[in-house]
Amino acid sequence: MREILGRRRRLLSRRNDGRPELISAALTFATEWQWPVLPGVAPDPQGRARCGCPDPECTVPGAHPFDPGLLAATTDERMVRWWWTNRPSAPIVLATGGQAPCAVSLPALAASRALTALDRKGMRLGPVVAAPHRWAILVAPYSMEQLGELLYAKDFVPGSLRFHGEGGYLALPPSETGHGGIRWERAPLPGSASPWVPDVEAVVDAVVDVLTRTGVSAPEF
């Protein structure tokens, strides 16, 4: 019980070297919020822009599962604790979909402008994860059929949008990847239970509208 009560406090605490405690964050996601997580492959120590996986052209260095694979994602406290005790610097990877949040991501500059426009419209958003090149808006779980119908109804969907649904993944704060640190642009409320997230329809409708109406564009990467 003492471990459970103290876990949120440790999520925000830092080591003597100034680094957030990854194991505390992973335990909070898994056991308190019931988000299935697993350790990412981590960047190549010989060159952080490269990935530790066998693919020399990996586009998400350190920010994806490899060993174990995505199907190993779990909310089991003992397994999560064992992983990060043995791999304390491993990125935290969320297996999206199912009972866990999904996400809609877009390049960072476009995302920053889109969030500003959505704030002006008074739209309520949940947590937003920011990587150096892309930001991801967490949304409620959706099916591929639901997403397909949503996109089919659109006249235009920016190619820079990506969808992290069932069978997908997303690196969570405070992970360090080959592209840099992962942080909260919009953090979950301190002390909350599993964070509230909006429906995917509301986010896609708003983001597509903002990007097309305001002329905000972004490269497709």
Side-chain angles (χ1 to χ4, degrees):
M1 179 62 70
R2 289 194 299 272
E3 175 65 22
I4 295 174
L5 293 176
R7 193 171 299 143
R8 284 197 184 97
R9 185 179 305 165
R10 292 198 307 279
L11 173 61
L12 301 178
S13 68
R14 294 177 177 270
R15 300 178 189 267
N16 292 334
D17 62 3
R19 293 188 58 204
E21 293 188 66
L22 284 164
I23 189 171
S24 295
L27 286 167
T28 295
F29 300 144
T31 64
E32 294 192 28
W33 297 355
Q34 292 298 292
W35 292 3
V37 297
L38 74 165
V41 66
D44 186 338
Q46 301 302 316
R48 293 194 61 81
R50 300 197 304 269
C51 189
C53 74
D55 183 0
E57 299 181 357
C58 181
T59 59
V60 284
H64 66 91
F66 177 66
D67 183 17
L70 186 63
L71 292 178
T74 185
T75 59
D76 182 75
E77 178 177 356
R78 291 174 299 177
M79 192 73 249
V80 171
R81 191 181 297 278
W82 185 87
W83 275 332
W84 272 276
T85 297
N86 289 277
R87 299 167 60 181
S89 62
I92 303 169
V93 174
L94 168 71
T96 54
Q99 298 303 309
C102 295
V104 177
S105 72
L106 62 162
L109 178 59
S112 176
R113 294 173 178 172
L115 290 189
T116 298
L118 295 180
D119 287 341
R120 289 174 182 157
K121 293 176 64 173
M123 181 176 172
R124 182 187 179 192
L125 292 175
V128 177
V129 176
H133 300 304
R134 294 187 70 86
W135 292 6
I137 302 171
L138 298 189
V139 298
Y142 58 78
S143 67
M144 294 306 295
E145 292 78 11
Q146 181 183 3
L147 179 63
E149 292 176 1
L150 174 63
L151 298 182
Y152 182 77
K154 297 290 181 189
D155 293 330
F156 171 74
V157 177
S160 57
L161 287 182
R162 291 182 186 166
F163 300 92
H164 308 256
E166 186 75 33
Y169 59 87
L170 185 70
L172 294 176
S175 302
E176 286 288 335
T177 73
H179 286 156
I182 309 294
R183 61 178 177 82
W184 295 112
E185 174 63 25
R186 302 284 175 90
L189 294 176
S192 65
S194 184
W196 176 87
V197 290
D199 290 336
V200 66
E201 292 93 341
V203 169
V204 171
D205 286 347
V207 168
V208 170
D209 177 66
V210 167
L211 294 183
T212 54
R213 180 170 48 81
T214 63
V216 175
S217 60
E220 298 183 11
F221 65 87

